């Protein structure tokens, strides 16, 4: 949900994405995306949280990455941007999960999750900030 939350935040800050982003231009959907992004940050720390590679986790990742990739792509190249984002997000789900599990054995679930979240949120904000305009 991080890509959607970052895009919603950019929209609420009156920034425009290069590609079409109709859904998050509605204040209700923007607020919902922000709430889901924050909820994911908290939910990920729970011991009962499923791996990101379960079907629904991957489906949410594919949808979020596809929408974000399309929105951040130049106009007319949204489909390519969405597909590229999906092709990046799915393998990264497996790679980051493997890395998280290794770190989690050393420092625990909560601390490893906080570090991972800080890195992902910073990266997401940097990508969105670099692509949007006033």
């Amino acid at each position: 949900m991080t890509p959607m939350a970052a895009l919603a935040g950019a929209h609420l800050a009156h920034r425009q994405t290069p590609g079409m982003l109709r859904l998050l231009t509605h204040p209700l959907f923007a607020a919902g995306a922000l709430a889901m992004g924050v909820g994911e940050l908290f939910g990920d720390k729970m011991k009962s949280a499923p791996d990101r590679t379960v079907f629904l986790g991957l489906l949410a990742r594919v949808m979020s990455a596809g929408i974000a990739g399309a929105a951040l792509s130049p106009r007319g190249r949204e489909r390519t941007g969405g597909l590229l984002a999906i092709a990046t997000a799915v393998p990264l789900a497996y790679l980051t999960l493997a890395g998280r599990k290794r770190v989690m054995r050393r420092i625990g679930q909560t601390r490893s999750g906080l570090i991972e979240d800080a890195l992902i949120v910073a990266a997401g904000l940097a990508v969105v900030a670099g692509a949007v305009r006033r």
Side-chain angles (χ1 to χ4, degrees):
M1 297 295 113
T2 302
M4 299 300 292
L7 287 170
H11 175 71
L12 292 172
H14 305 290
R15 302 291 194 263
Q16 293 181 340
T17 59
M20 298 295 287
L21 184 63
R22 291 188 183 126
L23 189 61
L24 290 179
T25 59
H26 190 282
L28 181 63
F29 285 104
L34 285 172
M36 288 174 59
V38 170
E40 181 187 19
L41 293 176
F42 286 107
D44 186 40
K45 309 309 168 291
M46 296 172 48
K47 297 222 183 281
S48 62
D51 284 348
R52 63 195 77 183
T53 56
V54 300
F55 176 75
L56 289 178
L58 283 176
L59 180 62
R61 185 172 295 260
V62 163
M63 291 171 38
S64 181
I67 292 168
L72 296 174
S73 296
R75 204 137 313 218
R77 307 279 317 254
E78 292 94 348
R79 182 174 295 197
T80 302
L83 291 173
L84 181 60
I86 291 167
T88 302
V90 172
L92 279 176
Y94 289 92
L95 290 171
T96 57
L97 179 60
R100 170 89 183 270
K101 284 181 176 181
R102 276 195 306 275
V103 173
M104 199 167 34
R105 285 191 290 270
R106 284 187 265 147
I107 66 172
Q109 181 174 358
T110 302
R111 285 178 50 198
S112 65
L114 292 171
I115 292 168
E116 181 183 41
D117 288 347
L119 293 171
I120 295 302
V121 169
L125 291 175
V127 167
V128 170
V132 298
R133 62 190 186 288
R134 284 184 170 241

